[in-house]
Amino acid sequence: MKVKVEKNNIIVSEVSCLDLDLTLDCGQAFRWERQEDGSYKGVAGGHFLHIAKDGDSLIFYDTDKAVFYSFWVNYFDLNKDYDEICNRLKQDSLLASTIDEYYGIRILNQDSWEALCSFVISQQNNIKRIKLIISRLCKAYGDEVADGWYSFPSAEKLSTLGVEDFEALGTGYRAKYLERLSKSVANGEIDLDYIKSLPLAEAKKELLKIYGVGEKVANCALLFGMQFYSCFPLDVWMKRVMAYYPDGLPRCFDGIEGIAQQYLFHWARQNL
DNA sequence: GTCCAGGCATGCA
DNA sequence: TGCATGCATGGA
């Protein structure tokens, strides 16, 4: 990775495997909005960002250098060698063709609270509507960090809401899950940083105790919000994909099943 | 109108 | 342990 500063922008080059459409709009994060010119605007970690791609370079518009290094490098996982990962995954023939076609999907390092909440909302729901509900949630209860752009609300803030407040956002039957989850995280009964520090099996066990969190939501929270790359979330799309792996997952997925999963998820949504 | 979406809790066997 | 069912909402 090479970084240079031009005016208020940060230009990053020599980062492989980062396509904005495939990474920011592939169902792992729900807060990025594509602009007409192909750039993206969104909020993560309380920071607003406008990001674009110019050839092989990434442009972080109006971004503070300190925030870039302290937050965005980790969020986009810019120091991870995705070419090595892709090469390993391509030992599997389906992944080989999928990566050739959709090269550039990365797993973002999202905040655990935002990821867990988002995937509780995601259950039995479609991506378009998940984004709609989350944007309503942020606008109503987040902080305005840029003109018209809101942070994801904290558990403390959401712990003051009642079930009817969550229902008013269109969360449907998930409202009761969100209400209880917010209160439990706010009062410390659930400690996401602690869960993140546990070995995978124990971390998953803790997440599965949460009302409204099952196998799928737990795996998504672990993969997208807690950096457990070996998690392999099985939703309705991935269950269709599994017909292509009757003997189980290939060895080349070991330890990076979650990254393989994200490519297969995208492939399934385009082709199945 | 019906079907479906990055599922889960509940009840019952 | 495994399976059937109900659940809110909005777009196709």
Side-chain angles (χ1 to χ4, degrees), chain A residues 205-222:
Chain A
K205 198 169 145 193
E206 289 302 310
L207 288 176
L208 289 174
K209 291 179 186 171
I210 299 171
Y211 182 52
V213 175
E215 183 73 20
K216 159 68 174 57
V217 171
N219 274 326
C220 284
L222 290 162

Side-chain angles (χ1 to χ4, degrees), chain A residues 68-87:
Chain A
F68 172 76
Y69 281 109
S70 66
F71 184 76
W72 295 114
V73 169
N74 176 255
Y75 183 82
F76 287 100
D77 216 350
L78 296 179
N79 288 318
K80 193 188 288 292
D81 184 354
Y82 263 81
D83 276 342
E84 190 270 332
I85 288 169
C86 287
N87 285 335

